[in-house]
Amino acid sequence: MYSSSHRRFNPLTCEWVLVSPHRSKRPWLGQVEKKVSESLPMYDPQCYLCPGNERAGGIKNEKYTGTYVFDNDFASLLPTVPVDDGEYPSHPLMKAEQETGICKVVCFSPRHDLTLPEMERQDIQNVIATWTKESFDLSSRSDIAYVQVFENKGAVMGCSNPHPHSQIWSQSRIPNEPAKELVSQTQYFNEHHKTLLHEYAAEELRLKERLVAVNDHFTALVPFWAIWPFETLVIANGPASRLSDLTPVEIEALADVMKRITTRYDNLFETSFPYSMGFHQAPADGEKHPEWTLHAHFYPPLLRSATVKKFMVGYELLSMPQRDITPEVAAARLCELSDTVHYRSIQK
Ligand code: H2U
Ligand code: ZN
């Protein structure tokens, strides 16, 4: 099974991915990324995120001791836009709309060198609690329709600073990816009176082929329709549709799953594993969203070593996403690795 080319359907986005398992042994003479130096200081006087330091915009960070949140100095969205922004085109094929929002940066801790897998569970819980509070506050505003919490990790993902941090972009309209998921989850719920992601997680728990980290409150797996080689999806088992719906016990469980996945990721190629990760919460419209299951996506680019990444080019850009190793093989490889012992704790 799954040894020849086939395509798989992503029911969240209603898009297909091409899978070519027979091709995974092809030779690679292309680009290898430079392996970045792994030892960072606990405090870097040049870092614009370290406590007490000055940021690029000239503002000084507090001498913070836990998580630290500030308004992005170079925000992509601003709360107000000039009323007179000139005339947008009136032609139906040239649509433009004003868009407003608020962008924040969330530092995980004062430590310049501690990423999620090397943080204590309690400290990861504090990060989740901060994401929750910020999401809740932003969602309460009438000018915010969606809150996107995400982390860009590693220079290959375009992350500008190794000091562990995440971002929150919130805006007045629902962006593309959550908008697709809203349509799919709503349609599934209306047809089946059950939530799409709970039904999917139940089947994965039965099959046990793609699971990566499971506890009483969260199920993390390489989705059947994964695009990135070691992509994972973290699904809340309970009814939460937003971070603010999580109970303290569920926040603990989420910290546990995140620590375990990211430990496996780092152990895979013995490197600080780059990825883009983010939570998909229900829209911030004040409504109950029984169709929506809170979940997080991890999209890591690495393919076969700390230096060879997958490119989304050519066919992927022009036709559809494509992968070589199957999600089943990816999950099995991740599961061979320790989810409790980080490789650097052995090397030290
Ligand atoms: P990355 O997570 O991709 O590294 O982005 C960091 C964000 O931090 C980026 O959106 C912001 C940038 O605008 N930033 C500040 O707000 N202040 C600074 O002094 C530098 C970077
Ligand atoms: Zn720093």
Side-chain angles (χ1 to χ4, degrees):
M1 196 170 45
Y2 306 137
S3 57
S4 50
S5 56
H6 59 281
R7 62 181 200 158
R8 299 188 186 192
F9 184 70
N10 180 338
L12 278 174
T13 58
C14 289
E15 284 160 356
W16 292 88
V17 51
L18 179 65
V19 188
S20 317
H22 57 285
R23 194 165 172 260
S24 47
K25 287 185 193 73
R26 93 192 149 111
W28 179 259
L29 296 173
Q31 178 174 340
V32 290
E33 301 291 326
K34 270 213 195 88
K35 200 172 173 180
V36 280
S37 130
E38 296 256 308
S39 62
L40 291 170
M42 284 162 62
Y43 167 78
D44 177 353
Q46 304 302 322
C47 168
Y48 60 74
L49 296 179
C50 273
N53 291 1
E54 192 175 298
R55 300 204 299 271
I59 301 171
K60 246 189 182 181
N61 295 323
E62 284 169 31
K63 291 197 168 150
Y64 63 96
T65 54
T67 57
Y68 183 59
V69 184
F70 62 89
D71 286 338
N72 195 314
D73 300 308
F74 308 97
S76 305
L77 292 146
L78 294 167
T80 49
V81 287
V83 181
D84 178 24
D85 194 25
E87 285 277 301
Y88 290 150
S90 57
H91 194 281
L93 293 177
M94 297 174 73
K95 221 171 166 176
E97 294 172 338
Q98 284 197 329
E99 181 72 340
T100 57
I102 296 169
C103 298
K104 301 198 174 227
V105 178
V106 180
C107 298
F108 291 170
S109 86
R111 289 280 296 267
H112 185 77
D113 58 335
L114 275 195
T115 59
L116 289 175
E118 292 184 282
M119 285 169 69
E120 299 295 333
R121 274 186 178 65
Q122 178 58 57
D123 294 330
I124 303 176
Q125 284 176 47
N126 292 342
V127 174
I128 299 169
T130 304
W131 288 333
T132 302
K133 184 192 174 299
E134 294 299 325
S135 298
F136 184 80
D137 291 351
L138 290 164
S139 303
S140 315
R141 294 176 57 122
S142 58
D143 56 347
I144 294 299
Y146 199 77
V147 180
Q148 181 63 60
V149 174
F150 66 98
E151 177 190 7
N152 270 342
K153 179 171 175 255
V156 281
M157 293 313 287
C159 179
S160 57
N161 185 323
H163 190 123
H165 67 281
S166 56
Q167 298 194 49
I168 302 179
W169 291 20
S170 60
Q171 63 196 89
S172 57
R173 294 193 183 81
I174 304 177
N176 298 354
E177 294 303 309
K180 287 185 237 172
E181 293 192 351
L182 179 62
V183 171
S184 309
Q185 290 182 99
T186 303
Q187 205 174 350
Y188 192 93
F189 190 77
N190 290 344
E191 270 174 35
H192 303 270
H193 308 289
K194 285 179 178 153
T195 48
L196 187 160
L197 280 178
H198 286 148
E199 290 279 282
Y200 172 61
E203 182 62 5
E204 289 289 18
L205 285 165
R206 193 181 71 78
L207 295 170
K208 296 190 176 63
E209 273 182 339
R210 283 168 290 270
L211 302 175
V212 176
V214 175
N215 61 27
D216 286 349
H217 303 284
F218 285 89
T219 305
L221 44 84
V222 179
F224 182 73
W225 53 82
I227 290 175
W228 293 95
F230 295 96
E231 177 177 332
T232 51
L233 172 64
V234 182
I235 304 169
N237 296 346
S241 60
R242 301 186 178 99
L243 284 164
S244 57
D245 297 327
L246 294 176
T247 63
V249 175
E250 286 174 319
I251 289 184
E252 253 177 63
L254 179 56
D256 169 65
V257 159
M258 291 186 73
K259 186 171 167 76
R260 286 164 56 199
I261 298 176
T262 53
T263 301
R264 286 209 156 124
Y265 274 162
D266 279 13
N267 286 343
L268 182 63
F269 301 131
E270 302 211 336
T271 193
S272 184
F273 203 72
Y275 56 71
S276 278
M277 178 281 283
F279 287 90
H280 278 154
Q281 321 190 52
D285 52 11
E287 302 290 325
K288 284 212 179 316
H289 278 270
E291 80 290 351
W292 192 291
T293 305
L294 173 71
H295 61 279
H297 298 274
F298 280 84
Y299 297 133
L302 293 185
L303 174 60
R304 68 183 73 186
S305 72
T307 52
V308 176
K309 74 168 189 180
K310 175 173 177 60
F311 287 92
M312 287 288 180
V313 292
Y315 182 82
E316 282 92 345
L317 276 182
L318 290 153
S319 295
M320 72 196 288
Q322 183 274 341
R323 63 179 294 135
D324 292 348
I325 74 162
T326 62
E328 297 70 43
V329 169
R333 287 202 54 195
L334 287 170
C335 287
E336 284 165 7
L337 304 157
S338 175
D339 62 353
T340 52
V341 183
H342 190 269
Y343 77 94
R344 288 195 346 152
S345 69
I346 306 169
Q347 288 177 354
K348 272 176 196 158

